[in-house]
Amino acid sequence: MTEALSTGAIPLRREFKYLLPPERLPELRERLAALCQRDPYAGPDGSYLTRSLYFDARDLRLFHANEREDSKRFKARVRGYPDSPTAPVFVELKRRDGDVIHKVRAMLK
């Protein structure tokens, strides 16, 4: 069995998603660079791939809650970064209540 190295609750946050025209991306990246640190596992262009394995009940109730955009729902998943052999792998529980997101995760060996 794989042993968890560390666990932690990620602070509650509000999550909103917006679609922007591609030509706005350079400006957005420049502005965010002053506020954020680059992920250490990102590639030279700042991007990386993620691979997620989602868990669900036989009736796929978690999937369907997400598809319906239920205001209260959760996800159970394992997430990794396949292009970086040294990047961590996490087991995550992510819960949404309206626009408030709560995530707990454990890093695996």
Side-chain angles (χ1 to χ4, degrees):
M1 177 171 262
T2 307
E3 180 182 327
L5 292 177
S6 65
T7 60
I10 296 169
L12 290 177
R13 66 183 193 266
R14 295 194 181 277
E15 186 174 285
F16 302 97
K17 296 179 181 172
Y18 300 94
L19 294 176
L20 297 173
E23 60 271 12
R24 299 276 318 268
L25 190 56
E27 175 194 352
L28 180 62
R29 283 186 172 151
E30 184 178 327
R31 288 180 178 218
L32 289 175
L35 303 171
C36 302
Q37 292 180 344
R38 182 175 286 223
D39 189 311
Y41 299 105
D45 67 350
S47 68
Y48 53 81
L49 295 176
T50 61
R51 179 174 293 145
S52 299
L53 174 63
Y54 288 85
F55 298 91
D56 206 337
R58 289 186 188 272
D59 63 2
L60 302 177
R61 69 185 73 161
L62 303 180
F63 169 79
H64 291 297
N66 189 63
E67 287 294 301
R68 288 188 309 264
E69 297 182 357
D70 289 354
S71 63
K72 292 186 178 190
R73 61 185 187 265
F74 80 96
K75 296 177 183 179
R77 65 186 177 204
V78 174
R79 175 163 281 177
Y81 306 88
D83 286 349
S84 178
T86 61
V89 173
F90 296 98
V91 175
E92 301 178 345
L93 291 175
K94 183 177 178 183
R95 187 177 73 236
R96 171 181 287 273
D97 188 355
D99 63 354
V100 176
I101 305 298
H102 182 228
K103 183 163 60 170
V104 178
R105 68 183 185 173
M107 186 170 60
L108 302 177
K109 287 184 178 179

